[in-house]
Amino acid sequence: MSIMHLIIFFPLIGSLILGFFGNFFSRFFSALIGNILVFFSFFLSCFLSYVFLNSTNKELIVKLWNWVNINNFKIECNLLLDNLSLIMILLITGVGSLINLFSIWYIKKNKDYYRFFFYTNLFITNMVILVLSNNIILMYLGWEGVGLCSYLLISFYYKKSKNIYCAMKSFIMTRIGDIFLILSFIMIYYNFNTLSFHDISKLNFNSIDKIKNINVLYLINIFLLLGSSSKSAQIPIHTWLTDAMVGPTTASALIHAATMVTAGVYLLLRTKYLLLLTPSLMFLLSITSIITILISSLFALFKKNIKKILAYSTISQLGYMFLSISIGSYNTAIFHLVTHAFFKALLFLSSGSIILSCNGEKNIYKMGGLKKILLSEYLFFLIGSLSLVSFPFITSSFYSKGLILFNIFQKNVYLFLFSILGAFITVLYTCRMFFLIFYNKPKIGNIKIIKKNVNYYLPLSFLSFFSIIIGKIVELIFNKNFFIQKINDKNNLILIFIEIIILFFGILISINIWTNKKKFYQKQNMNIIFLKIKNFFLNILNLDKIYKLIFVNNYFHIIFFLKKYSRDYLSKLIFLFVCLSKKILLKLQNVYLNWYILSIIISSFLFILTIILY
């Protein structure tokens, strides 16, 4: 058994033990099993990284078994380790370990303590299978496992019917993307005779000759883009992600930071060799990514629920990663995926602590004045917010998003301007959220001061460290092991200047609107303008209503029609079929031996004839 097997094996064993025997364990033992096995997996990932980066190999394939081997139809299930899968397993097991550790403190009073760790261990197992797989079929199994676990985590508080509805919605919406993925996989095998990522990475423009119709290649990539967009909640298949906020905040951190939503980005990076063969589709991806960035940022600007604001922020940041992929800047997309994982997990976990202290209140307009009461939450949330707005020099996202903006500037000026606009709106909604929570007058009278321990401080401190202090070190690590385009000094200075200007004006406007010091927002005319803009975006861009009008309502119309008119006809048809079958069978059972012999001869003849014709 290799180290790669063990990285999958440890969280899998943890989930099996907790799944079968967790009900008999104490809280301490459930937390121990749920945390230590994921941490073992992370420790092995670090050791594997050290060995792999110091070797001359660029990729390592570990054979598992032959799934199917019939004539020329062969499906092998292997594990693939390269730079991309290495980063992903470090991120999944590392951030997953920190979130699990924080969960010991966060859900300590929940009766289903063991069930949460059972789900998170199974979630991490499936994510590791997804990113280590060298085969599309094995990756798809991990993909489906992640979907199942997200359903279980979102419906963790299953006694509320709304939570079950949101979990079902999330499950069904992501299954729509799965249909497109299955179609693309079938077409890839039919045209290239492989399902291996290693073989797909060898494709180039000469491979187009293998395809009789070039439109088939476009169709494959369109299906891949739709499948990836559904998993990474890109517009218009994004509505499930905000509804997923009904689960525990630590589950939201796991889904949003380093696991589920990054699966779509990972799939595009794995299949980039196919995407490169259709450049015009890449421009289409750029357009949809920009639309995703702007619309999700505007939604975040007008939402009141702190978790939903962070959810829309995730969609927006994923849009930047998709945009980076669309212009061929793959390593920069990975870089931003890494930095985003740390600061988004930090923001979600901090918000979870704030919600607990505010007795479950999630509306930022009903908070306020929490700076002095919740000092540790204030500091951690401040660090996460600075990283979200890419504060110059001291945050890791400043380097990753800066590279994305620079690469966009070199490819297309218009895309760059819209990206800058998205960055400006990001500053606005982040400052709005931060000022309304921690400044102004306190609005909640009975704030709970919850006792903190090492399970609270340790994960948040690590996430803060990776979010802000070592941004430049992260960039240096990437530069050493992965190729990242260098920015010359002149362009670098221009970019930094633009980012500082955006940040300055964003903070200035936010102070004027969302703090008590200035009465700008309280003016009646400004209030009306803001309400009109808000209603426009929340009503016109409410895709849930459009989906309900087009799909859900029509589905129910069909169901009611069938229920009303088809039930009688269907039952009569079944009755006639049974009666006819009975008559034929009774005639066959006539006790004449010659008739039985004749039946055997006729059946044998038909059977042989079928084989010959086939």
Side-chain angles (χ1 to χ4, degrees), residues 327-353:
I327 59 170
S329 183
Y330 306 113
N331 289 340
T332 310
I334 302 171
F335 187 20
H336 195 55
L337 188 149
V338 172
T339 59
H340 174 260
F342 290 115
F343 72 75
K344 191 48 63 70
L346 177 65
L347 283 169
F348 265 110
L349 297 185
S350 305
S351 69
S353 180

Side-chain angles (χ1 to χ4, degrees), residues 452-469:
K452 315 286 194 320
N453 57 27
V454 67
N455 297 325
Y456 170 87
Y457 286 110
L458 194 64
L460 293 183
S461 300
F462 269 111
L463 290 171
S464 301
F465 180 73
F466 283 99
S467 294
I468 197 163
I469 296 173

Side-chain angles (χ1 to χ4, degrees), residues 479-490:
N479 277 333
K480 184 181 176 183
N481 296 293
F482 308 95
F483 173 74
I484 290 182
Q485 191 173 0
K486 293 283 186 184
I487 305 176
N488 64 50
D489 291 339
K490 183 182 174 183

Side-chain angles (χ1 to χ4, degrees), residues 298-311:
L298 286 169
F299 271 122
L301 186 60
F302 295 118
K303 286 289 178 183
K304 297 176 181 177
N305 185 312
I306 181 173
K307 289 179 71 177
K308 289 196 174 183
I309 293 169
L310 292 176

Side-chain angles (χ1 to χ4, degrees), residues 259-276:
T259 54
M260 186 171 172
V261 294
T262 61
V265 179
Y266 171 80
L267 180 64
L268 288 189
L269 291 168
R270 266 285 171 244
T271 55
K272 63 185 179 186
Y273 306 98
L274 278 171
L275 299 173
L276 278 172

Side-chain angles (χ1 to χ4, degrees), residues 12-115:
L12 177 63
I13 288 295
S15 65
L16 290 175
I17 293 173
L18 290 168
F20 284 107
F21 309 108
N23 202 26
F24 305 103
F25 294 159
S26 65
R27 286 174 177 272
F28 172 78
F29 200 68
S30 295
L32 184 69
I33 296 291
N35 277 266
I36 199 165
L37 290 171
V38 176
F39 180 76
F40 280 159
S41 187
F42 172 63
F43 177 76
L44 288 174
S45 302
C46 293
F47 178 72
L48 185 64
S49 306
Y50 175 78
V51 174
F52 184 76
L53 293 176
N54 285 290
S55 70
T56 54
N57 293 329
K58 290 186 177 178
E59 65 176 28
L60 176 65
I61 296 176
V62 176
K63 188 171 182 179
L64 295 178
W65 64 81
N66 286 330
W67 200 326
V68 179
N69 193 358
I70 304 173
N71 295 332
N72 294 327
F73 183 62
K74 190 175 181 181
I75 299 177
E76 293 180 339
C77 282
N78 302 327
L79 300 179
L80 171 66
L81 184 72
D82 57 5
N83 286 337
L84 178 59
S85 53
L86 194 65
I87 291 170
M88 291 301 291
I89 58 170
L90 281 170
L91 209 58
I92 293 162
T93 55
V95 177
S97 297
L98 294 172
I99 292 172
N100 259 1
L101 185 61
F102 184 86
S103 302
I104 297 174
W105 174 81
Y106 182 76
I107 60 165
K108 58 186 176 185
K109 292 184 179 177
N110 195 289
K111 292 179 181 177
D112 296 325
Y113 197 65
Y114 78 92
R115 193 159 56 85

Side-chain angles (χ1 to χ4, degrees), residues 245-402:
M245 294 299 101
V246 296
T249 309
T250 45
S252 304
L254 195 64
I255 292 171
H256 281 251
T259 54
M260 186 171 172
V261 294
T262 61
V265 179
Y266 171 80
L267 180 64
L268 288 189
L269 291 168
R270 266 285 171 244
T271 55
K272 63 185 179 186
Y273 306 98
L274 278 171
L275 299 173
L276 278 172
L277 303 178
T278 53
S280 55
L281 275 183
M282 291 297 95
F283 181 70
L284 183 65
L285 180 62
S286 301
I287 301 299
T288 56
S289 302
I290 282 292
I291 292 171
T292 298
I293 291 168
L294 294 177
I295 290 181
S296 56
S297 301
L298 286 169
F299 271 122
L301 186 60
F302 295 118
K303 286 289 178 183
K304 297 176 181 177
N305 185 312
I306 181 173
K307 289 179 71 177
K308 289 196 174 183
I309 293 169
L310 292 176
Y312 278 113
S313 156
T314 298
I315 298 170
S316 172
Q317 297 304 311
L318 287 168
Y320 279 105
M321 295 174 211
F322 271 64
L323 183 60
S324 184
I325 292 171
S326 72
I327 59 170
S329 183
Y330 306 113
N331 289 340
T332 310
I334 302 171
F335 187 20
H336 195 55
L337 188 149
V338 172
T339 59
H340 174 260
F342 290 115
F343 72 75
K344 191 48 63 70
L346 177 65
L347 283 169
F348 265 110
L349 297 185
S350 305
S351 69
S353 180
I354 293 167
I355 293 168
L356 274 183
S357 299
C358 293
N359 304 304
E361 182 58 64
K362 297 171 187 169
N363 188 336
I364 57 174
Y365 280 91
K366 294 183 179 177
M367 298 179 183
L370 300 179
K371 179 185 173 185
K372 293 180 181 176
I373 306 169
L374 304 175
L375 185 59
S376 63
E377 285 87 347
Y378 170 78
L379 292 173
F380 289 129
F381 207 86
L382 174 64
I383 293 170
S385 300
L386 288 175
S387 206
L388 180 57
V389 300
S390 303
F391 198 88
F393 305 115
I394 61 169
T395 60
S396 52
S397 66
F398 166 72
Y399 299 95
S400 58
K401 194 188 280 186

